[in-house]
Amino acid sequence: MYKFNALLFFSLSLVAGCTNVVSDVARTIHPAPSSSLQASKLFSAASGFFTEAGYQCNVYPDPSPLRCTKELRDLYIHQSQAVVQIYPRDEAYPHTLVTSRWDEGLIPGEFISSEFTNPDVKAFCEYLHAHALGSCRIIK
């Protein structure tokens, strides 16, 4: 009976997986003083930048967010992907930039880092500043 219980537990652990989500700090994107930074112009620049960085981007009709994903790890037992989303401006807030890492698989969350910083987002913010389109500010 012990062997059956051990085999059952092992079989269930192979089928059951863990999903962990870790986010980087959220940012707002403010237009440069000489730019109005319309959503279509921002989403076009962001889509081009992140596509060039290896992301797959989905641009939905206004006023939906831009969503880009990139596979970070694709192993048989564990997959990780980075997700970058830019939400359009509304009356109260400028464009919002959010990034997170999704981990799915058989590695428990205790063994995965709970900190995530996306270097591509930092590079995108530098790109916006260098091209005088806007600047990123961390939401506190």
Side-chain angles (χ1 to χ4, degrees):
M1 186 66 172
Y2 174 74
K3 288 182 182 181
F4 176 75
N5 288 340
L7 182 61
L8 179 65
F9 176 75
F10 180 72
S11 298
L12 289 176
S13 68
L14 287 178
V15 175
C18 299
T19 300
N20 299 296
V21 180
V22 179
S23 296
D24 195 355
V25 294
R27 294 168 171 83
T28 56
I29 301 173
H30 297 270
S34 62
S35 170
S36 64
L37 195 62
Q38 298 171 347
S40 60
K41 188 175 182 180
L42 172 64
F43 285 9
S44 176
S47 180
F49 179 87
F50 286 111
T51 298
E52 197 170 297
Y55 288 75
Q56 293 180 344
C57 296
N58 298 323
V59 181
Y60 300 103
D62 288 337
S64 295
L66 169 74
R67 184 173 197 276
C68 300
T69 59
K70 178 181 181 180
E71 294 293 327
L72 300 176
R73 180 182 309 130
D74 189 11
L75 303 173
Y76 177 71
I77 62 169
H78 190 81
Q79 296 82 35
S80 294
Q81 69 175 220
V83 177
V84 176
Q85 293 180 305
I86 300 177
Y87 296 95
R89 162 176 271 181
D90 62 18
E91 294 81 31
Y93 298 103
H95 303 285
T96 305
L97 173 63
V98 179
T99 183
S100 57
R101 183 189 73 218
W102 289 72
D103 292 290
E104 297 180 288
L106 299 177
I107 300 173
E110 293 80 21
F111 299 115
I112 299 172
S113 174
S114 62
E115 295 180 16
F116 175 64
T117 303
N118 191 335
D120 295 325
V121 168
K122 183 179 178 187
F124 176 66
C125 290
E126 291 169 358
Y127 170 85
L128 287 176
H129 184 70
H131 288 84
L133 294 172
S135 63
C136 297
R137 297 179 192 161
I138 294 175
I139 298 174
K140 295 184 182 194

